[in-house]
Amino acid sequence: MQPIMSEFRTAFIGAVIVALGSISMSIYTPAMPLLVDEFSTSVAAVQFTLTIYLAGYAAAILACGSLSDAFGRRRTAIGFLVVYLIGCAVALAAFTVELLTAARLLQGIGAAAGVSISRAIVRDQYHGQISMRIMSLIGLIFAVGPAVAPTLGGAILSAFGWHALFIMMAGYSVFALAVIVLLCRETNLMRSSDMVRPAVVMRTYRAILMNRHFLHGSLVLGLSVGGIYTLAVVLPFVLVETVKLTPTQFGMAMILQTGAYVIGSAIAARLLRQIRGEDLLTAGIGIVAAASIALACSGLLYTTLWTVMLPVGLWAFGAAFIIPGATTLALAEFPHAAGAASAMTGFMQIGGGLVGSLLVALLLAAPSAAFYTILPAMAFAAAACRLGYLLRV
């Protein structure tokens, strides 16, 4: 089938909408310690505003996938982005942590369109190495967002206060809406309202979850890239309260994560011209496992900026190798239900971060304890998934 949009336009639209979710998660993190005092509440309550964002994000991704299979990618994206804008308005009016939590839930639901639809519009049109190249670019934006956004968030917070962060989010969502309305053409040519019937939805997702290639790719994404989202909950409190960085310094420190991912993506893009994406996937998992060991040493021994951020950068570098191969592997066998498969992949990816952040909030009194417990467990579970898959090939 002839692609409906060019490779560049598809990548650009996918990158714009997928960035909304990751930026919204991380631009807010420098303000989290400040919001404890602002709302006269606890650290756990403020951490929960990020956890509830991830929960809404993960749950809505599944609905978004089925809706886009039934009614089209374009129409579904517009509806979810409107929900996101409502969440921004509620956040700006919030005067209690409970209202802020509700706003973050709405934002998480609205941002879900990015992950699901960006991948679906690629799968609708492209396959093989071309698909991997586009997925690599979209994955770059998706993973760079959590790193770039704290730097920007720290500067905005210092200059204008926390309300300005939500004004920034609202402005970006309006830009994303304009991109969808003006540039995006409908790529789902097999739309069917049957795709939102409960029985069909359950049957579709059951078939997806029973596929070993999908399960492997999505679990690896959930455990490795999900670790970056878990770090987003931990790092503000470790670097601000333990290392004693200011919000602006915290944002600048996150450039290390950004740079590592950009370098990893550039190397991965070159290597994809010569070797298979699955070979990069294996190497990436090994790098993430090594990063988790370094983080564990940091948490157990002595916590400084460099002992924390160098392993975090290494983890981001490894994730850049993982995303293209794992995503393409997960979606390869579902051309008839690309929206649902993309949604379930996103659910697993965000769900890994959600589980990790819940464990941090519920089980650990000291956030740095995640460095030698939760994060190594996630990294080595990803390695075990990869090993089990390779042994059965």
Side-chain angles (χ1 to χ4, degrees), residues 175-233:
F175 168 68
L177 262 172
V179 167
I180 293 294
V181 171
L182 299 176
L183 297 181
C184 186
R185 296 176 62 188
E186 182 55 58
T187 61
N188 181 7
L189 304 182
M190 298 183 290
R191 299 186 295 278
S192 171
S193 58
D194 286 345
M195 296 301 291
V196 290
R197 290 172 52 198
V200 175
V201 172
M202 294 299 293
R203 186 165 62 247
T204 301
Y205 281 131
R206 182 168 60 247
I208 290 169
L209 287 170
M210 293 293 290
N211 183 282
R212 63 183 295 266
H213 304 294
F214 169 84
L215 199 58
H216 169 62
S218 59
L219 277 174
V220 167
L221 283 171
L223 291 163
S224 57
V225 181
I228 295 176
Y229 303 140
T230 301
L231 282 165
V233 177

Side-chain angles (χ1 to χ4, degrees), residues 190-347:
M190 298 183 290
R191 299 186 295 278
S192 171
S193 58
D194 286 345
M195 296 301 291
V196 290
R197 290 172 52 198
V200 175
V201 172
M202 294 299 293
R203 186 165 62 247
T204 301
Y205 281 131
R206 182 168 60 247
I208 290 169
L209 287 170
M210 293 293 290
N211 183 282
R212 63 183 295 266
H213 304 294
F214 169 84
L215 199 58
H216 169 62
S218 59
L219 277 174
V220 167
L221 283 171
L223 291 163
S224 57
V225 181
I228 295 176
Y229 303 140
T230 301
L231 282 165
V233 177
V234 174
L235 287 175
F237 294 96
V238 172
L239 293 180
V240 173
E241 296 186 351
T242 302
V243 182
K244 305 300 183 185
L245 300 185
T246 66
T248 302
Q249 289 171 334
F250 167 76
M252 295 299 293
M254 295 302 292
I255 292 175
L256 291 169
Q257 181 177 316
T258 309
Y261 191 90
V262 169
I263 293 168
S265 292
I267 294 172
R270 283 184 169 274
L271 291 176
L272 279 172
R273 300 172 185 171
Q274 304 167 15
I275 64 176
R276 298 184 312 150
E278 287 199 44
D279 296 329
L280 279 185
L281 171 59
T282 303
I285 290 172
I287 294 169
V288 167
S292 74
I293 294 172
L295 275 174
C297 293
S298 168
L300 286 169
L301 300 175
Y302 190 63
T303 303
T304 68
L305 172 64
W306 297 109
T307 61
V308 171
M309 290 309 301
L310 289 178
V312 167
L314 186 62
W315 190 304
F317 182 86
F321 280 38
I322 291 170
I323 290 173
T327 303
T328 301
L329 183 66
L331 301 184
E333 298 191 4
F334 299 97
H336 59 289
S342 176
M344 183 59 78
T345 304
F347 174 82

Side-chain angles (χ1 to χ4, degrees), residues 65-148:
S66 296
L67 288 169
S68 74
D69 282 338
F71 304 114
R73 316 301 182 205
R74 191 172 179 274
R75 187 184 304 177
T76 303
I78 290 170
F80 274 75
L81 288 171
V82 170
V83 172
Y84 179 91
L85 266 173
I86 294 171
C88 292
V90 174
L92 285 168
F95 55 89
T96 67
V97 74
E98 290 79 14
L99 270 176
L100 184 63
T101 301
R104 293 295 282 169
L105 176 61
L106 287 172
Q107 285 188 306
I109 292 169
V115 173
S116 177
I117 291 175
S118 65
R119 291 169 175 171
I121 64 174
V122 177
R123 184 62 186 86
D124 287 339
Q125 304 174 87
Y126 296 100
H127 312 281
Q129 290 295 107
I130 297 177
S131 173
M132 283 194 187
R133 285 202 302 270
I134 301 174
M135 292 290 189
S136 180
L137 175 58
I138 292 174
L140 169 63
I141 302 300
F142 190 50
V144 163
V148 172

Side-chain angles (χ1 to χ4, degrees), residues 12 16 170-180:
F12 175 73
V16 167
Y172 187 85
S173 66
V174 170
F175 168 68
L177 262 172
V179 167
I180 293 294

